[in-house]
Amino acid sequence: MNVTQDLSFISLIANASVLVQLVMLLLLTASITSWTYIFRKMFTIRAARMQTEEFERVFWSGGNLSALYQEALSNRRKAGSGGAMERIFQAGMGEFTKAKASVTARGGAVDPGLLLDGARRAMRAAYQREMDALESHLAFLASVGSVSPYVGLFGTVWGIMNAFRGLANVQQATLAAVAPGIAEALIATAIGLFAAIPAVVAYNRYSHDIDRLAIRFESFIEEFSNILQRQAR
């Protein structure tokens, strides 16, 4: 018997029990899916950060808010244009403009509090939509990071049980007899860790980045509300 061949990585997977192979396939699928989400989320957060910085630069440059609002509307009609903060601004400015125009058309007195409350509600709703989009698939990464080691451990325990059960038919138990079964079982744990570690690292990193963006969005909502309050008077 060629021990080197029997203990090769591919050979151990091929000779593993059906249940252990299913566990390995499940972990491999979870790993591939998590890596897909990791790269997609990396590009999404990077784009959101750049778009936020660009909009903040334009917004605080002192330009006309009406012109900036029209530009935001134009960007929204273009697929992939504009950013999260711009859409929050567009929601608040749009609600403020419509409410003010409606009150003026009726000839009534403008209530700054009502105008501001409507704009804030619109911005908070837009903020929640943007956060939901940024946080999508993070729960999957968290699940892979927390569950994969245990799934791999289950495959390992099952494989080791089979390896020792096979010793019942052997008169003399040797390391050479039990080593292949234990080795193929330990591969399940290795694959589980391979799936879990990147998912945990990515989840922690992206959660931190998204929290920082959330703080910037909330600060913008408060600062823009102050500007609208002055314009409503």
Side-chain angles (χ1 to χ4, degrees):
M1 180 178 61
N2 191 334
V3 177
T4 303
Q5 181 180 0
D6 290 342
L7 293 182
S8 65
F9 189 79
I10 301 299
S11 177
L12 290 174
I13 294 178
N15 295 328
S17 63
V18 176
L19 182 60
V20 176
Q21 288 179 341
L22 289 176
V23 169
M24 294 179 184
L25 179 61
L26 175 63
L27 292 173
L28 184 61
T29 303
S31 178
I32 294 174
T33 305
S34 65
W35 275 107
T36 302
Y37 289 150
I38 286 171
F39 283 112
R40 286 175 56 184
K41 190 60 61 178
M42 178 181 66
F43 295 131
T44 299
I45 294 177
R46 181 181 299 174
R49 186 186 300 114
M50 294 176 61
Q51 290 167 342
T52 298
E53 292 173 354
E54 175 64 19
F55 179 78
E56 284 181 328
R57 183 186 63 80
V58 175
F59 181 84
W60 295 113
S61 63
N64 184 272
L65 291 180
S66 297
L68 187 59
Y69 172 64
Q70 294 300 324
E71 182 180 353
L73 287 177
S74 177
N75 288 336
R76 189 166 187 174
R77 299 188 186 100
K78 302 175 184 177
S81 298
M85 184 174 288
E86 185 177 73
R87 287 186 286 270
I88 293 173
F89 161 78
Q90 185 265 328
M93 189 66 184
E95 179 63 26
F96 179 83
T97 303
K98 293 176 183 177
K100 190 173 184 179
S102 177
V103 172
T104 304
R106 294 196 305 266
V110 176
D111 187 341
L114 292 178
L115 294 181
L116 186 60
D117 288 343
R120 287 178 64 88
R121 285 195 298 270
M123 286 191 289
R124 296 301 301 185
Y127 165 82
Q128 291 297 333
R129 288 193 296 270
E130 298 300 332
M131 293 306 300
D132 287 341
L134 286 174
E135 292 175 349
S136 62
H137 306 311
L138 282 185
F140 178 81
L141 294 179
S143 298
V144 171
S146 60
V147 174
S148 292
Y150 296 103
V151 176
L153 183 60
F154 169 75
T156 297
V157 171
W158 187 269
I160 291 177
M161 286 172 56
N162 286 337
F164 281 104
R165 189 165 53 189
L167 292 179
N169 301 323
V170 179
Q171 294 182 351
Q172 183 177 3
T174 62
L175 181 61
V178 74
I182 295 178
E184 71 186 28
L186 290 175
I187 291 178
T189 297
I191 297 177
L193 294 175
F194 177 79
I197 293 174
V200 171
V201 173
Y203 173 80
N204 291 334
R205 176 63 185 179
Y206 295 157
S207 296
H208 173 73
D209 292 342
I210 291 173
D211 286 343
R212 290 178 63 87
L213 284 172
I215 292 173
R216 295 174 72 170
F217 295 159
E218 290 178 338
S219 298
F220 172 77
I221 291 174
E222 295 301 322
E223 292 167 342
F224 185 47
S225 296
N226 293 333
I227 295 175
L228 293 179
Q229 187 176 21
R230 290 193 295 269
Q231 290 197 356
R233 296 172 182 173

